[in-house]
Amino acid sequence: MKVAGKVVIVTGASSGIGRATAILLTKKGAKVALTARSKNKLEDLSRDLPGSLVVAADISREKEAGQMVSLVARYFGRVDILVNNAGQGYDSPVEKTDLKKLQAIFDLNLLGPLVAMQKVIPLMRKQGGGVIVNISSGTSLMYLPNMGAYSGLKCTLNAISLTAREELKEDKISVSVVYPYITATDFEENTLKEDFEAEWEDNGREIPPSDSAKYAAQKILEAIVTEKAEIFAHEWMKNRKGT
Ligand SMILES: NC(=O)c1ccc[n+]([C@@H]2O[C@H](COP(=O)([O-])OP(=O)(O)OC[C@H]3O[C@@H](n4cnc5c(N)ncnc54)[C@H](OP(=O)(O)O)[C@@H]3O)[C@@H](O)[C@H]2O)c1
């Protein structure tokens, strides 16, 4: 889908990949609804993004995620593109995984995107089509120690996204998954963590350097424009199954 003139919702727009995506899509001529919890950060960003709208919402709460979509639709009269980007990490060995923290990242990383999808799908169907891009993670392609809960939820997001893609083909609604690689944002700092001894085993492999948020945003734009099912931050990630 071409981006110019389109109405886009970007969740998690107050920071990192979401912020860079909102900036890039505005440059490409989109009208962007900026959503996250930090209203002040969104308002600061909005001043530099002509045509943007600020909708402060906690996406992990079903009611707020739904209301956010309704508000955007009412303001702009339509929603063409949804970028489900808000998310948080959780580092913990399986043995120590705390159920309350698991529930919190479940609500944010899975329930929020699902509710937003369920709200935009009928709107997009009525409009004759749309694009949904869900931000997953390269970790969902691997079995990395201490990332079971986080990557497991991203795996579920992948499955829901690619299933919805099949279900919504006839409605001309494209659903894509973007797999970012390690990206230099506040993500690591914001990641929930248990207390454990991390033993990083790289098995002699070199770890490629992190990507920038701008680079990840380009990949999200690529998903919107090409409407491909899956976009990997790097080609080598496609075959990076396993540990
Ligand atoms: N950075 C990486 O290395 C990396 C790698 C692979 C995948 N990813 C994925 O990329 C996405 C973006 O991450 P990032 O790197 O940009 O991280 P980030 O800088 O920590 O940004 C996270 C965004 O999510 C928002 N958010 C958090 N909790 C929220 C809630 N309850 N309701 C609404 N918004 C909420 C935050 O805004 P507020 O705090 O203002 O609410 C912020 O805008 C995530 O889905 C992450 O899993 C990141």
Side-chain angles (χ1 to χ4, degrees):
M1 177 182 276
K2 281 188 186 158
V3 167
K6 299 297 187 325
V7 174
V8 189
I9 296 174
V10 178
T11 73
S14 63
S15 167
I17 296 172
R19 188 176 192 279
T21 302
I23 293 169
L24 179 63
L25 296 179
T26 304
K27 273 190 194 148
K28 298 286 175 189
K31 290 172 267 185
V32 183
L34 311 165
T35 183
R37 292 166 303 176
S38 313
K39 199 173 179 203
N40 291 347
K41 285 189 192 170
L42 295 177
E43 283 172 347
D44 284 349
L45 177 62
S46 180
R47 276 189 271 280
D48 295 330
L49 302 185
S52 63
L53 172 73
V54 168
V55 187
D58 183 338
I59 290 298
S60 69
R61 297 184 182 184
E62 181 184 349
K63 199 169 162 200
E64 289 190 37
Q67 282 171 342
M68 178 278 291
V69 174
S70 306
L71 223 142
V72 176
R74 220 176 309 132
Y75 182 84
F76 287 110
R78 58 188 295 120
V79 179
D80 300 294
I81 302 164
L82 166 67
V83 180
N84 267 320
N85 162 79
Q88 189 174 23
Y90 179 28
D91 290 350
S92 172
V94 170
E95 187 183 353
K96 289 200 172 184
T97 297
D98 176 86
L99 298 189
K100 284 208 174 81
K101 287 182 193 142
L102 175 64
Q103 183 70 55
I105 61 159
F106 173 92
D107 291 347
L108 175 60
N109 294 0
L110 197 60
L111 184 141
L114 177 62
V115 171
M117 285 174 75
Q118 289 175 331
K119 275 280 178 184
V120 296
I121 288 166
L123 302 174
M124 290 178 172
R125 184 180 288 122
K126 239 190 199 167
Q127 291 164 194
V131 168
I132 298 170
V133 178
N134 291 336
I135 310 311
S136 179
S137 168
T139 59
S140 69
L141 306 167
M142 307 172 215
Y143 302 108
L144 293 176
N146 313 316
M147 298 193 94
Y150 170 73
S151 64
L153 291 173
K154 290 293 191 184
C155 282
T156 310
L157 182 66
N158 303 346
I160 287 178
S161 307
L162 297 176
T163 303
R165 181 179 178 86
E166 293 305 313
E167 293 170 351
L168 298 169
K169 262 183 184 157
E170 287 189 3
D171 294 307
K172 297 191 168 48
I173 300 172
S174 156
V175 185
S176 306
V177 182
V178 172
Y179 303 89
Y181 174 63
I182 303 167
T183 307
T185 65
D186 293 340
F187 180 78
E188 189 50 42
E189 198 181 303
N190 292 332
T191 289
L192 303 173
K193 289 178 185 78
E194 296 307 330
D195 192 16
F196 64 94
E197 287 283 320
E199 276 184 42
W200 176 255
E201 282 187 41
D202 63 7
N203 298 329
R205 283 190 299 264
E206 280 211 14
I207 312 292
S210 313
D211 293 326
S212 66
K214 271 187 180 174
Y215 178 87
Q218 282 290 349
K219 292 291 164 186
I220 293 171
L221 175 64
E222 189 182 329
I224 296 170
V225 173
T226 65
E227 300 186 18
K228 282 187 185 165
E230 295 176 289
I231 297 285
F232 299 82
H234 302 281
E235 287 301 298
W236 58 262
M237 290 168 68
K238 280 185 190 169
N239 306 316
R240 190 64 185 84
K241 303 261 180 202
T243 53

